Amino acid sequence: QLQLVESGGGEVQPGGSLRLSCAASGFALNYYAIAWFRQSPGKEREGVACVNYNGFYTAYKDSVQGRFTISRDDAKNLVYLQMNSLKSGDTAVYFCAAGWAPFAAVCAPDPNKRYDYRGQGTRVTVSS
């Protein structure tokens, strides 16, 4: 079965950290750009971060720049989102998505873009 599965969500206090993982099964992540999105109740889905196919380019939503880091380990078929200094406003369900983009030098975490695979999400709650 070709799918992406997110993990690593949970509840953390403000200022804490979490590392989310996005695991691909049934296909290799090589040549795919990967993006993380999030959605809170009553809000539209927003792009958080992306990494291009070879990991040389990353992009972030302004509000997470400097706090979140996206990375990929193609040998393990995994993409990570390290989230530090978490705030209550980061509370959301986080999703990863993969889009075929071989040799694309850049990426953008655009939630309206077409992706080949999307995960079901993992919930992150930041609360004291």
Side-chain angles (χ1 to χ4, degrees):
Q1 188 174 3
L2 308 179
Q3 61 180 356
L4 293 174
V5 179
E6 302 92 340
S7 61
E11 186 167 351
V12 64
Q13 293 185 341
S17 298
L18 284 174
R19 188 177 78 161
L20 306 184
S21 298
C22 173
S25 63
F27 70 102
L29 286 176
N30 308 67
Y31 303 117
Y32 283 87
I34 309 298
W36 282 96
F37 305 102
R38 66 187 183 188
Q39 189 164 19
S40 303
K43 295 185 178 180
E44 293 188 355
R45 184 169 297 192
E46 57 182 10
V48 175
C50 69
V51 58
N52 79 328
Y53 80 101
N54 61 9
F56 287 176
Y57 181 91
T58 58
Y60 298 91
K61 177 181 173 60
D62 286 348
S63 63
V64 308
Q65 181 78 47
R67 299 188 297 123
F68 289 12
T69 302
I70 187 171
S71 61
R72 63 189 301 154
D73 186 341
D74 287 345
K76 295 182 178 180
N77 229 19
L78 287 168
V79 174
Y80 304 103
L81 184 67
Q82 177 68 44
M83 306 187 298
N84 299 328
S85 303
L86 283 162
K87 306 175 181 179
S88 58
D90 297 318
T91 295
V93 177
Y94 284 71
F95 305 84
C96 63
W100 178 255
F103 311 117
V106 299
C107 65
D110 181 357
N112 297 313
K113 181 182 176 182
R114 175 187 172 278
Y115 292 89
D116 298 287
Y117 303 98
R118 291 178 183 261
Q120 294 300 306
T122 184
R123 185 175 301 277
V124 172
T125 302
V126 184
S127 173
S128 56

